[in-house]
Amino acid sequence: MMRSTRVRWSAEVTDSVLDVAGLRTYFESREGIAKAVDGVSFSLSAGETLGLVGESGCGKSVTALSIMQLVDQPGRVVAGRVVFRGMDLLEQPSSVMRSLRGNEIAMIFQEPMTSLNPVHRVGDQVIEVLRLHAGMNQREGRDRAVELFTKVGIPNPAQRLTEYPHQLSGGLRQRVMIAMAVACRPKVLIADEPTTALDVTIQAQILELLRELREAEGTAVLMITHDLGVIAEVADRVAVMYTGKVVESGTVTDLLERPQHPYTQALLRSIPTRKDAGHRLHPIEGNVPHPLHLPRGCTFAPRCPARFDRCETAFPALERVASGHHVACYLHSDRSEEDIAAPEGVANE
């Protein structure tokens, strides 16, 4: 299905630039503790794209914000390591993180209107990034901003530099955010639903721009999306999240052609195909559980057609089922998280 249109990127994967190990981010409230990210581990190598997928509310965006140290109160990172080029970002002061953000590690945010300053022209905001991190003067920054706006498909780029965020459509604001994120050629780019507000033509242009950045600069990309079609186009590896945990990880071929976790299988079944024309679609039954009221055991069990008694006792351990392919499901192993300490970086093994 999706695989027939997939174009493989040829960039060579080299050394690891980002290692996330045992990351836990909790939100405390009067009602209890919501474990938005609960023991997530993965590695990201130079020149590769890791897709992070799952339904809304599964912890994808909070994972990204935790890496960038941008989690707002009452949320806080309570455990784990985020190692970037040998430096644990969770131990760095805010001054160091400010120097890294937008420079060596950049993020395309899901909602650009909340990320762009409404009282400054969009061109000035891009130029400021270039002056701060790339040492460009005003004229150099303006020329580079026009070049970036052109690359991301913004029409009349010189004119758009002078406009304010509220004067742009949602799609144009998203493209401005993408231009800012790639301006300094970051080593790691976190893209949180970067093409959601764009039409298919502009989406293709953006994915091509990310491909060029990856191949030319060796940029590592963490692609957060619910769109498995985008994942099929761009990702080397995929990690599937559910209720704050990685439930399956592996190469894009493994995940799309040989999914092992019932949740991954259900996600793929829910995608409409030509064969479904005139037939009922296949949504995943039930809803993602409330983070303050998670079921005991495997949190997908209440929605899983393959559940059995063991599923309700403890959350299953994420274990290897094939080379580079890991699954947290009692259909493949009887061990739980309580039985075994999950190895760090297991998603990259």
Side-chain angles (χ1 to χ4, degrees):
M1 43 179 187
M2 294 179 295
R3 295 283 297 171
S4 62
T5 60
R6 185 167 186 269
V7 178
R8 290 294 298 163
W9 290 356
S10 58
E12 181 181 354
V13 175
T14 55
D15 56 311
S16 173
V17 293
L18 183 70
D19 290 286
V20 177
L23 182 65
R24 300 180 191 274
T25 302
Y26 295 172
F27 288 77
E28 298 182 18
S29 68
R30 293 179 180 178
E31 290 77 24
I33 298 176
K35 299 179 179 180
V37 178
D38 195 17
V40 167
S41 298
F42 60 82
S43 294
L44 190 57
S45 297
E48 96 170 318
T49 295
L50 173 67
L52 199 59
V53 302
E55 293 171 278
S56 297
C58 70
K60 305 186 302 295
S61 294
V62 177
T63 298
L65 293 172
S66 300
I67 292 171
M68 300 290 285
Q69 282 200 39
L70 291 174
V71 176
D72 291 329
Q73 292 292 333
R76 63 188 182 94
V77 178
V78 300
R81 293 187 296 116
V82 178
V83 180
F84 172 68
R85 303 173 75 181
M87 177 191 341
D88 189 348
L89 300 183
L90 301 182
E91 297 180 350
Q92 303 309 310
S94 57
S95 58
V96 172
M97 290 306 301
R98 283 196 298 270
S99 69
L100 291 175
R101 291 192 207 106
N103 184 21
E104 296 195 68
I105 305 176
M107 182 169 175
I108 302 169
F109 293 91
Q110 189 170 358
E111 179 43 65
M113 198 58 184
T114 61
S115 303
L116 293 170
N117 191 320
V119 301
H120 291 287
R121 293 179 174 88
V122 294
D124 291 338
Q125 296 184 57
V126 177
I127 293 169
E128 180 63 20
V129 170
L130 293 165
R131 294 181 63 180
L132 179 63
H133 295 302
M136 294 185 181
N137 59 35
Q138 183 71 19
R139 182 169 183 175
E140 291 170 336
R142 185 184 183 281
D143 291 343
R144 173 67 172 154
V146 170
E147 177 188 347
L148 288 165
F149 277 21
T150 301
K151 280 189 174 184
V152 298
I154 296 178
N156 304 315
Q159 172 61 32
R160 297 297 187 185
L161 289 179
T162 67
E163 297 180 349
Y164 292 89
H166 72 270
Q167 295 177 288
L168 304 179
S169 67
L172 285 176
R173 288 195 294 265
Q174 183 72 331
R175 279 175 265 178
V176 171
M177 281 296 305
I178 294 169
M180 291 179 65
V182 303
C184 296
R185 301 180 176 90
K187 298 297 182 184
V188 174
L189 177 63
I190 301 173
D192 190 358
E193 303 280 3
T195 60
T196 297
L198 308 178
D199 62 45
V200 291
T201 301
I202 300 302
Q203 174 177 296
Q205 291 178 7
I206 297 306
L207 295 180
E208 175 65 15
L209 175 64
L210 297 181
R211 181 194 66 79
E212 291 175 359
L213 187 69
R214 162 181 157 156
E215 290 188 345
E217 307 294 336
T219 300
V221 179
L222 178 61
M223 176 70 72
I224 298 172
T225 182
H226 66 277
D227 189 337
L228 288 171
V230 170
I231 290 298
E233 286 289 327
V234 305
D236 297 297
R237 293 184 296 114
V238 188
V240 180
M241 287 189 68
Y242 190 76
T243 60
K245 296 178 180 289
V246 173
V247 297
E248 184 166 7
S249 66
T251 67
V252 68
T253 300
D254 284 337
L255 269 291
L256 296 183
E257 297 186 356
R258 294 178 292 275
Q260 300 297 308
H261 197 284
Y263 178 58
T264 310
Q265 295 167 353
L267 285 176
L268 291 170
R269 280 197 304 269
S270 68
I271 301 172
T273 67
R274 291 182 179 180
K275 295 179 182 179
D276 294 317
H279 299 279
R280 292 180 62 87
L281 299 179
H282 306 282
I284 305 175
E285 294 187 5
N287 299 304
V288 178
H290 192 283
L292 291 176
H293 306 289
L294 295 177
R296 176 171 170 77
C298 175
T299 52
F300 185 62
R303 309 172 70 187
C304 181
R307 64 182 179 273
F308 56 100
D309 291 346
R310 176 65 167 134
C311 302
E312 299 179 1
T313 60
F315 198 91
L318 185 67
E319 298 212 84
R320 173 175 167 170
V321 294
S323 178
H325 194 170
H326 297 78
V327 181
C329 181
Y330 289 123
L331 294 175
H332 302 281
S333 170
D334 190 50
R335 294 201 290 183
S336 72
E337 285 187 336
E338 298 172 0
D339 298 329
I340 182 174
E344 296 179 348
V346 70
N348 194 44
E349 184 177 316

